[in-house]
Amino acid sequence: MIDEIEALSSIYGDDWCVIDEAARTFCITISDSSDQPKWTLCLQVILPAEYPSAAPPFYQLNAPWLRGQDRTALSNSLEEIYLQNIGENILYLWVERIREFLVEKPHTSDIGPVLEAATEEVVDEDLVDEEFDLWKDKNVILSALSVSSEVDELPPIKHADPISDRRSTFQAHLAPVVSPSQVKMVLNKLYENKKIAAATHNIYAYRIYCENRQTFIQDCEDDGETAAGKRLLHLMQILDARDVMVVVSRWYGGILLGPDRFKHINNCARNILVEYNYTNSTEESAKSQGKNKKVMKENKKKTEH
């Protein structure tokens, strides 16, 4: 795996980005042309310990214009490559397949007003790959998006019930946000609470959808819990949570929890996002429907008895 990463870094240079080496998280910006790119996409991958011998990379495709049939077709293509090359390194094959897809796209797509706007956004040198440039240079992005804080008010903050495991306690907090300045206001308000301020870690992530540019302002903070913020942001991306921030406070109890701490952090976050209806993914909808059916069956059994 190390040889593959070094090779990719050598081949793609500055387009290849290490997000978190310890968590084996990487991303690469891919364009249809190096001179005047019309279509640009960011591929983010997390390499599990079993890769490449027994498991594929976890991946996410990010571009403001990528949706519907385009996203499905490209995802199917990448998964087919994996199935044809099980046990082998496939990241280079994935990158080049995505590049082929981008090169072919202008000949197979009618570019309407919405996609024209997205394309102009992509080729803007300051806004290439808006979502993941936040890892590298979020100040440029926030400045370019001209987010105003003149009328921002402190949004309401919701608090979930805490959960405990081996003397460690976790508690999630949620607030609707529409600008980075509101994110700061929420954090400042939370830190007024002496208990929250004294937490061992206050991990947070937020996602703000910009309708006019069809992209997200998003960022995260580990607060000393390595990779926890990125995991939290990834969860919010999977759930398609928008215009919201989640903070998870952890009070360490003296006993190491290992990987279970990440499970608790994400479970706290997922529960509060579901509770306040900030999940839009089909996966979460299916889970909710399944739970509702289970409750209905249990109630029916109780009625019969």
Side-chain angles (χ1 to χ4, degrees), residues 120-191:
E120 291 170 3
E121 175 185 340
V122 169
V123 298
D124 185 331
E125 62 181 289
D126 288 334
L127 289 174
V128 172
D129 182 34
E130 295 82 351
E131 290 196 39
F132 281 94
D133 269 1
L134 289 174
W135 299 112
K136 306 174 192 175
D137 196 354
K138 64 184 177 185
N139 291 328
V140 171
I141 301 301
L142 298 182
S143 174
L145 290 173
S146 301
V147 179
S148 172
S149 61
E150 293 179 1
V151 295
D152 285 347
E153 297 180 355
L154 176 66
I157 303 174
K158 307 296 184 182
H159 308 277
D161 293 332
I163 64 170
S164 297
D165 179 14
R166 286 164 280 179
R167 299 195 306 197
S168 279
T169 300
F170 302 81
Q171 185 180 26
H173 322 279
L174 176 149
V177 292
V178 294
S179 72
S181 63
Q182 282 191 316
V183 171
K184 292 181 181 178
M185 294 169 70
V186 171
L187 291 172
N188 290 338
K189 185 63 177 178
L190 286 173
Y191 278 116

Side-chain angles (χ1 to χ4, degrees), residues 50-69:
E50 300 83 3
Y51 172 82
S53 59
F58 299 107
Y59 73 93
Q60 182 166 329
L61 302 168
N62 293 280
W65 51 265
L66 187 65
R67 57 176 67 87
Q69 293 182 348

